[in-house]
């Protein structure tokens, strides 16, 4: 896909995991996934174990900066952020 004026490819080649802690409604999740893929990224699909999913991602977006998942992200030196850090 080509990017329209004002869009960025900041996510190009990045695999992004959206934490379950975001508790997004289906429409909001679809909108966020669309935003990320238009920016060149791909969204990692959840398995039964979020901790193992972290090993598959480059960027982890979560609601809270705490808990086992966040600690694992830090240990793996993955990029991390909270949903409020995104503008879409």
């Amino acid at each position: 896909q080509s990017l329209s004026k004002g869009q960025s490819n900041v996510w190009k080649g990045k695999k992004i995991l959206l934490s379950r802690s975001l508790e997004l409604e289906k429409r909001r999740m679809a909108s966020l996934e669309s935003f990320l893929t238009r920016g060149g990224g791909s969204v990692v699909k959840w398995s039964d174990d979020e901790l193992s999913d972290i090993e598959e991602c480059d960027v982890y977006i979560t609601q809270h900066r705490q808990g086992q998942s966040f600690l694992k992200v830090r240990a793996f030196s993955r990029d991390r952020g909270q949903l409020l850090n995104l503008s879409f």
Side-chain angles (χ1 to χ4, degrees):
Q1 282 180 342
S2 63
L3 299 175
S4 64
K5 186 176 181 178
Q7 284 186 314
S8 167
N9 64 349
V10 68
W11 302 109
K12 186 174 183 176
K14 299 284 187 181
K15 295 179 281 182
I16 302 123
L17 177 61
L18 302 170
S19 172
R20 286 186 173 96
S21 71
L22 296 173
E23 298 178 349
L24 297 173
E25 295 175 0
K26 195 172 187 172
R27 280 182 51 179
R28 179 87 166 151
M29 178 67 90
S31 176
L32 182 54
E33 288 179 354
S34 176
F35 166 77
L36 295 169
T37 55
R38 281 194 320 268
S42 61
V43 178
V44 175
K45 297 298 179 191
W46 293 334
S47 70
D48 292 333
D49 181 12
E50 188 170 284
L51 289 176
S52 67
D53 295 340
I54 289 169
E55 296 174 23
E56 303 300 319
C57 75
D58 301 307
V59 179
Y60 178 70
I61 300 173
T62 184
Q63 180 70 26
H64 309 287
R65 301 180 86 177
Q66 60 189 22
Q68 285 185 322
S69 295
F70 188 77
L71 293 175
K72 185 169 183 177
V73 167
R74 283 183 46 196
F76 273 77
S77 299
R78 301 288 195 248
D79 291 331
R80 55 203 177 271
Q82 293 174 284
L83 187 60
L84 57 89
N85 298 126
L86 296 178
S87 298
F88 67 103

